[in-house]
Amino acid sequence: MIRTILPVPILFLLLAAAPDPGASPAGPPAPAAPAPSAAPAPAPGAERAAERVFQDVAERLGPSVVSIDTVAIEKGLRPDKAIRFRRAEGGASTGLIVSQDGLIVASAFFFKDVEAVAIRVRLHDGRELPAKMLGRDVSRGIAVLKIEAKGLFVPAACPRDEIKVGRWAIALGRALSADRPTVHAGIVSAINRISGRAIQTDAPLSPANYGGPLADAEGRIMGICVPLSQHGDEAGAAMYDSGIGFAIPLADILAQLPRLSKGDVIRVAFLGIQFDPERNSGGVDVSGIFPGSSAEGAGLQKRDVILELDGKRIDNFFQFQFEIGRRVAGDKVDLKIRRGAEYKTLRGIELKPMPEAEELVKMVEEQIRRKREDQMDMLRRMLEEQKRRGIPDPPPPDEEE
């Protein structure tokens, strides 16, 4: 006799469908119990649809993404030691065309500590054109180049207020392949990072796409990928292996483009105050002023309380630092302060650039010298007041025998 072994699921269904011997034949059958709810299956073709979006964005934006190759001299070497500057595999970096007549935004990472001898830009159609460096935004790690060309494709910029957490983020690069851009996808994981200067994404960023665009699913450019750390300084391999990366909003870069195209070097803004970290609300307590700073020039004083910046209420130092961080050297701000029981508004304070490390040390040393002088002046005044009142000087301490 041949026995047929049924698969377990089919056997289970047959048993479930068999009549119950003890059941009454009369009356309608009992309603079946509802099936347990399960997670909905992915919509048919959803993955294919996402693939098409990424492919479409890469195809549409490809003409605006360029490959940049630089022959440079490392600072301190003789001209006959010119080398090909290689930061990424293949020796090239990425840039984005931002004007029809050849302005290109790139990452300053590839031009750090070198003197460029020759910069060549390769367009999507294979043309190679010489480029020259114009300006740099040190505060955001951005460089602007110029090639002689006309009628270039310029992609649309995504408005800053439309960059939302959770949106698709598509990073394009042309460093590894000049024929077509590389594509890395993720989402916008945070906004207003690094004192309001950067977009955070989990799309893989590395030297392969530094200087390239971070686009949304509509093909609009949200930002330019740069190697910044979470503290705002330039990052290396440890940061781009960390799972997050940063991009500078293109809208912010375009706002500075007139200065950058003239060759300006834009630096981080520095007001020059010290603050009381214990105060977490009601403004910023100024506990010190750096000599020669914008704060000193504006007349800020120790124990002033900063209440507003450009009409925006300031509750604590972190908020104040965020607002200053969004500005650059040369910008002007208005500060509303409280000095004792008096309220004042200090207008048109021009922010100076962040000092270099050596200059900052000198400023601190000068601050310490002034503090000591103030302490000596206070001691002298106390002794003069004692003499005026006829109070004898305290006896010298007993000498040990």
Side-chain angles (χ1 to χ4, degrees):
M1 177 177 179
I2 299 174
R3 299 174 61 188
T4 303
I5 300 176
L6 296 175
V8 172
I10 296 177
L11 181 61
F12 175 79
L13 290 173
L14 290 174
L15 291 173
D20 185 356
S24 172
S37 60
E47 292 184 0
R48 292 285 185 182
E51 288 177 4
R52 286 196 295 271
V53 169
F54 301 150
Q55 292 166 354
D56 179 62
V57 168
E59 184 176 352
R60 280 192 288 154
L61 297 182
S64 66
V65 182
V66 302
S67 176
I68 303 170
D69 201 13
T70 306
V71 176
I73 299 175
E74 289 189 11
K75 291 181 179 178
L77 296 181
R78 301 193 310 271
D80 61 338
K81 298 292 184 180
I83 60 171
R84 182 168 292 277
F85 184 51
R86 296 182 183 270
R87 292 277 190 169
E89 186 67 26
S93 58
T94 302
L96 179 74
I97 296 171
V98 293
S99 76
Q100 292 184 340
D101 60 352
L103 286 178
I104 295 170
V105 174
S107 169
F109 175 71
F110 294 92
F111 305 99
K112 182 184 178 185
D113 298 327
V114 298
E115 297 173 1
V117 174
I119 305 173
R120 296 193 67 80
V121 170
R122 183 174 180 180
L123 304 180
H124 76 290
D125 57 10
R127 284 183 292 164
E128 291 193 9
L129 302 172
K132 61 180 179 180
M133 171 81 71
L134 296 182
R136 289 182 298 124
D137 186 342
V138 178
S139 71
R140 295 176 172 88
I142 294 294
V144 171
L145 310 178
K146 180 70 169 68
I147 59 175
E148 294 302 324
K150 294 187 180 299
L152 300 176
F153 171 68
V154 179
C158 179
R160 215 180 192 281
D161 59 0
E162 293 185 25
I163 301 173
K164 306 291 186 182
V165 172
R167 297 197 71 166
W168 280 113
I170 305 166
L172 304 180
R174 208 182 274 276
L176 300 181
S177 172
D179 296 330
R180 61 184 60 190
T182 57
V183 181
H184 294 83
I187 62 169
V188 174
S189 51
I191 58 175
N192 291 326
R193 289 299 312 277
I194 310 177
S195 297
R197 296 199 298 270
I199 306 162
Q200 179 179 303
T201 180
D202 66 352
L205 303 187
S206 72
N209 49 27
Y210 289 157
L214 187 71
D216 63 11
E218 299 174 32
R220 301 178 302 175
I221 309 301
M222 294 188 290
I224 300 296
C225 304
V226 293
L228 294 179
S229 77
Q230 298 181 62
H231 305 293
D233 52 354
E234 187 176 272
M239 194 63 200
Y240 64 70
D241 284 341
S242 69
I244 63 171
F246 298 103
I248 304 301
L250 182 59
D252 292 354
I253 298 171
L254 295 179
Q256 299 293 343
L257 196 59
R259 291 180 59 184
L260 292 168
S261 61
K262 292 178 183 177
D264 287 0
V265 177
I266 297 175
R267 301 189 182 278
V268 177
F270 180 70
L271 180 62
I273 67 167
Q274 293 169 304
F275 65 97
D276 180 4
E278 300 297 326
R279 188 185 184 104
N280 294 319
S281 62
V284 175
D285 275 355
V286 178
S287 60
I289 305 290
F290 283 101
S293 66
S294 300
E296 184 181 59
L300 272 171
Q301 298 178 9
K302 186 177 178 180
R303 290 183 289 277
D304 284 348
V305 179
I306 299 174
L307 304 173
E308 293 181 5
L309 188 152
D310 287 341
K312 186 171 185 177
R313 177 178 168 177
I314 300 297
D315 288 322
N316 52 57
F317 182 77
F318 300 104
Q319 183 185 0
F320 182 73
Q321 191 176 37
F322 175 85
E323 292 297 332
I324 291 292
R326 297 180 63 177
R327 291 158 173 80
V328 297
D331 287 348
K332 294 183 179 181
V333 296
D334 296 339
L335 295 179
K336 182 178 179 180
I337 66 170
R338 186 178 69 243
R339 181 173 298 163
E342 184 181 2
Y343 291 84
K344 291 187 173 185
T345 299
L346 307 177
R347 299 190 183 278
I349 304 172
E350 183 171 340
L351 300 174
K352 292 184 177 182
M354 175 70 74
E356 299 292 337
E358 292 182 1
E359 186 182 353
L360 190 58
V361 168
K362 291 180 181 179
M363 294 173 75
V364 172
E365 290 175 345
E366 175 63 17
Q367 189 180 35
I368 293 172
R369 187 190 66 79
R370 292 184 183 183
K371 186 174 182 179
R372 286 176 178 170
E373 283 188 354
D374 291 343
Q375 290 173 342
M376 293 301 297
D377 286 342
M378 183 182 297
L379 181 58
R380 281 194 293 268
R381 287 196 297 270
M382 287 175 59
L383 293 175
E384 290 173 358
E385 181 65 17
Q386 286 179 351
K387 288 181 180 180
R388 187 182 69 80
R389 296 184 178 184
I391 302 173
D393 292 339
D398 295 336
E399 294 185 1
E400 295 183 1
E401 296 182 358

